[in-house]
């Protein structure tokens, strides 16, 4: 059963990465407006890339929780967090509405999304 849970977690993570890549152009315009389109897209992918540097910390924390309270519970929590944070991108205000807080919210969403699975 844990293999199925791990496969579901990997599928959700890959799906999340693909969706982010497909909508990167739109996210660049909405969250990082700039005169140069290249700058906006690079900032969008930077917001996507930065959380990957924190993956080892997330792995240590999730692994510790998995050892204490069970890997299945931790896996369910992490999959739920990834799914909810992906869905909440649609509720984020644009740069025109929230100013600098819009890209900060997008960055926080990416940080939560990049937490590794504990399966």
């Amino acid at each position: 059963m844990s293999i199925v849970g791990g496969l579901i977690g990997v599928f959700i993570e890959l799906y999340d990465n693909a969706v982010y890549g497909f909508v990167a152009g739109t996210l660049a315009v909405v969250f990082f407006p700039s005169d140069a389109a290249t700058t906006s897209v690079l900032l969008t992918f930077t917001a996507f890339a930065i959380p990957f540097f924190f993956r080892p910390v997330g792995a240590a924390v999730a692994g510790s929780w998995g050892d204490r309270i069970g890997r299945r519970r931790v896996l369910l929590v992490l999959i739920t967090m990834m799914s909810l944070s992906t869905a909440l991108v649609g509720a984020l205000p644009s740069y025109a509405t929230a100013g600098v807080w819009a890209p900060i919210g997008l960055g926080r969403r990416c940080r939560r999304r990049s937490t590794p699975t504990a399966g």
Side-chain angles (χ1 to χ4, degrees):
M1 190 64 178
S2 64
I3 292 175
V4 173
L7 289 174
I8 291 170
V10 168
F11 174 78
I12 289 173
E13 186 171 4
L14 292 176
Y15 176 78
D16 189 37
N17 291 343
V19 167
Y20 193 90
F22 289 138
V23 299
T26 303
L27 292 175
V29 172
V30 173
F31 292 105
F32 301 102
S34 175
D35 293 335
T38 305
T39 303
S40 297
V41 172
L42 286 175
L43 286 172
T44 302
F45 283 123
T46 301
F48 182 70
I50 287 173
F52 285 97
F53 292 111
F54 294 99
R55 285 183 80 116
V57 175
V61 171
S64 174
W65 288 347
D67 290 342
R68 282 188 275 144
I69 64 173
R71 292 176 186 262
R72 182 177 293 183
R73 287 182 183 161
V74 173
L75 181 63
L76 279 172
V77 168
L78 293 176
I79 289 173
T80 303
M81 284 174 52
M82 288 189 303
S83 301
L84 288 176
S85 65
T86 299
L88 288 176
V89 169
L92 286 174
S94 68
Y95 187 87
T97 304
V100 73
W101 292 106
I104 290 172
L106 182 65
R108 290 185 55 85
R109 175 260 172 210
C110 289
R111 187 186 64 189
R112 281 192 301 272
R113 187 218 41 85
S114 72
T115 304
T117 58

